[in-house]
C-alpha cells in the first residue's frame, strides 16, 4: 500500500525540455514509447535542489550523450493529465533553445530513434501539440536561433 501512495503524484512536476539545434538549424527530435511512439524533444524532471539549466545539462547528457554549451529560455507550458503521455502526470514544462558540442548521439533506453529535422519539415513526423507550441514560440522570436 505504501508503494501505491508513493507512486501517486502529489504536486506538479517541473521538467525541462531541450530544443537542440545543430549548426544548420535542424532540430533534434527523438521517438519514444513514453509519448506513444511520437517524436518529442529530450528532457525530463528537475531534481530537488537542482537549477533548471543544470537539469537541462543532465537530461541532455543522459538522453543523447551530448554536452550542452548554450541554453536560452523559450517558454513554459502546463501539461495536466494529457493522454499523449504514457502515465497520468501533471507537468510544468520549461523549454529551452539549446546548442550542444558536436558529437555522436547515444540514445538511452527512453528513445528508440532520432532525427535532425528542418523546421519546415516537422509536419512529416508524428509530434504532439506541446512541441508545436514551442516551435510556434520560436517563430515569434526567430532571433533566438542566432
Amino acid at each position: 500500500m505504501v508503494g501505491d501512495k508513493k507512486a501517486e503524484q502529489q504536486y506538479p512536476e517541473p521538467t525541462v525540455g531541450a530544443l537542440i539545434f545543430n549548426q544548420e538549424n535542424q532540430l533534434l527530435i527523438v521517438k519514444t514509447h513514453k509519448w506513444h511512439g511520437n517524436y518529442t524533444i529530450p528532457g525530463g524532471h528537475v531534481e530537488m535542489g537542482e537549477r533548471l539549466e543544470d537539469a537541462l545539462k543532465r537530461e541532455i547528457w543522459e538522453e543523447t550523450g551530448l554536452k550542452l554549451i548554450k541554453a536560452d529560455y523559450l517558454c513554459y507550458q502546463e501539461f495536466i493529465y494529457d493522454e499523449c503521455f504514457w502515465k497520468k502526470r501533471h507537468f510544468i514544462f520549461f523549454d529551452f533553445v539549446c546548442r550542444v558540442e558536436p558529437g555522436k548521439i547515444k540514445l538511452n533506453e527512453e528513445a528508440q530513434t532520432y532525427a535532425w529535422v528542418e523546421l519546415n519539415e516537422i509536419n512529416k513526423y508524428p509530434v504532439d501539440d506541446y512541441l508545436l507550441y514551442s516551435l510556434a514560440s520560436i517563430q515569434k522570436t526567430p532571433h533566438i536561433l542566432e
Side-chain angles (χ1 to χ4, degrees):
M1 289 289 182
V2 173
D4 291 342
K5 280 197 169 232
K6 189 175 183 179
E8 290 181 29
Q9 191 177 22
Q10 300 297 313
Y11 301 98
E13 183 177 352
T15 64
V16 291
L19 289 103
I20 300 171
F21 288 88
N22 63 17
Q23 293 175 329
E24 291 80 35
N25 278 340
Q26 296 169 317
L27 174 67
L28 176 65
I29 55 175
V30 294
K31 185 176 185 179
T32 173
H33 68 280
K34 288 184 174 184
W35 294 88
H36 304 297
N38 284 338
Y39 282 84
T40 189
I41 56 175
H45 72 278
V46 178
E47 295 178 357
M48 285 295 294
E50 189 175 40
R51 296 181 187 277
L52 292 177
E53 192 167 326
D54 291 335
L56 195 62
K57 286 177 189 176
R58 178 182 51 75
E59 288 289 343
I60 290 170
W61 175 254
E62 289 175 358
E63 294 184 10
T64 69
L66 299 173
K67 291 184 180 182
L68 178 69
I69 56 174
K70 182 182 180 204
D72 292 307
Y73 173 74
L74 178 65
C75 64
Y76 81 92
Q77 299 180 64
E78 295 180 278
F79 178 102
I80 303 173
Y81 308 132
D82 194 320
E83 292 180 5
C84 67
F85 192 67
W86 69 314
K87 290 183 179 179
K88 185 178 176 183
R89 294 308 238 200
H90 181 173
F91 296 124
I92 301 172
F93 296 146
F94 295 94
D95 288 344
F96 293 81
V97 171
C98 301
R99 300 293 180 166
V100 295
E101 290 180 3
K104 183 174 164 94
I105 294 176
K106 299 174 201 142
L107 297 176
N108 68 4
E109 70 283 351
E110 294 180 37
Q112 290 69 60
T113 190
Y114 70 92
W116 288 103
V117 181
E118 300 285 342
L119 291 184
N120 61 358
E121 306 256 321
I122 196 73
N123 61 351
K124 294 181 179 179
Y125 295 84
V127 298
D128 59 63
D129 290 339
Y130 300 96
L131 178 53
L132 295 177
Y133 179 87
S134 294
L135 295 176
S137 296
I138 289 172
Q139 287 180 332
K140 292 176 187 174
T141 57
H143 69 276
I144 201 164
L145 294 177
E146 296 172 358

